[in-house]
Amino acid sequence: MRMVRFISSTLLPFLLSISNNNLEAVNAFSIPSLKRPTSITFLSPQKAKSQKQTILFSSSSENEKDKVTIAQEEATKLRELASILRGEVSEFEKSKANEEQKEKEEQESIRQEKIATRERYSAEVPILKGDGMTVLERVDFPPRLGKEKSFIQAVKAPLPLGLILGEHETIPGAIRVDEIDESGNGHSVGVRVGDLLRACTACQVIMETPTWQLLAGGIGQPKTKRFMYGTDGRPFEEVMDALGSNRMDPDGGDVWLVIEREGEQ
């Protein structure tokens, strides 16, 4: 350390020292023309830098804590929102499943209703096919006595039937059972007064000619075919002839009758 040899009388109260690049000023006496200053400390660059780093580190730590707190709060809000959304999705899926189940039940109800309606207004009867075979098939008969007020029934009985038929007074082209012999075959199979005759079996004689007879110039042989005959809209006399034609059946089979009756099946 190098001491300053010449010191002015006006600067005598101050002691300056320079050591290790550090500058410190100490006010030892008051100067006449100046007020006594408070003590002033000049920090070294290393101390100032260290203090600045401490302040910055403290501020950075607080900012990091704030960021963590905000992130946690945001995460909590997101979890709550996700929980709400999951609840809404669950409710929507349940509602959708209930609607689908309800729709399926309605469709099944409609299907069952159609099946019940068809069974109510249809009957299995023998149908003559083109190859000469007769098979039982379900045939629909639209109601003529009013929907949901009647039903269709197929019965078969041997001749004589013991029925007296007539034209319906209010339903055009409908054939009605006006009277019945309670000891007859028709009554024994369930035919009742007031029933509508919707169809019956009928027989027709045709000439059947094999191919070899056609080549030889033959006229063929008579054959009786038996088929279902619908009575709706047919003339009364024609219906009576159709019923009577069952006597021509060489096998003597029972007469099939399709009737419609008021009431529940």
Side-chain angles (χ1 to χ4, degrees), residues 127-254:
I127 300 298
L128 180 65
K129 296 296 184 178
D131 58 1
M133 298 295 294
T134 300
V135 295
L136 285 176
E137 289 186 358
R138 182 167 289 276
V139 179
D140 297 324
F141 294 89
R144 303 201 67 186
L145 293 174
K147 191 174 181 180
E148 306 297 334
K149 294 181 179 180
S150 61
F151 62 92
I152 297 294
Q153 183 178 3
V155 298
K156 55 182 181 177
L159 293 172
L161 298 175
L163 306 176
I164 298 179
L165 304 177
E167 296 179 279
H168 199 283
E169 295 179 354
T170 59
I171 303 176
I175 306 300
R176 179 180 181 272
V177 178
D178 290 338
E179 297 181 25
I180 188 169
D181 181 1
E182 294 185 358
S183 61
N185 295 326
H187 187 274
S188 65
V189 297
V191 181
R192 297 292 182 267
V193 173
D195 290 347
L196 295 186
L197 180 64
R198 302 295 304 274
C200 65
T201 50
C203 293
Q204 184 180 20
V205 178
I206 60 173
M207 298 301 293
E208 188 177 67
T209 306
T211 304
W212 66 269
Q213 286 189 353
L214 288 174
L215 294 175
I219 60 174
Q221 297 177 349
K223 182 179 181 180
T224 302
K225 69 174 183 178
R226 193 166 184 255
F227 57 92
M228 290 301 299
Y229 169 84
T231 64
D232 292 348
R234 308 306 301 178
F236 178 75
E237 292 78 10
E238 185 177 302
V239 174
M240 297 304 295
D241 291 341
L243 280 172
S245 69
N246 283 276
R247 296 186 181 92
M248 296 187 299
D249 186 3
D251 298 328
D254 292 341

Side-chain angles (χ1 to χ4, degrees), residues 41 55 93 113 162 202 258:
T41 303
I55 294 172
E93 290 178 348
E113 184 178 350
V258 178

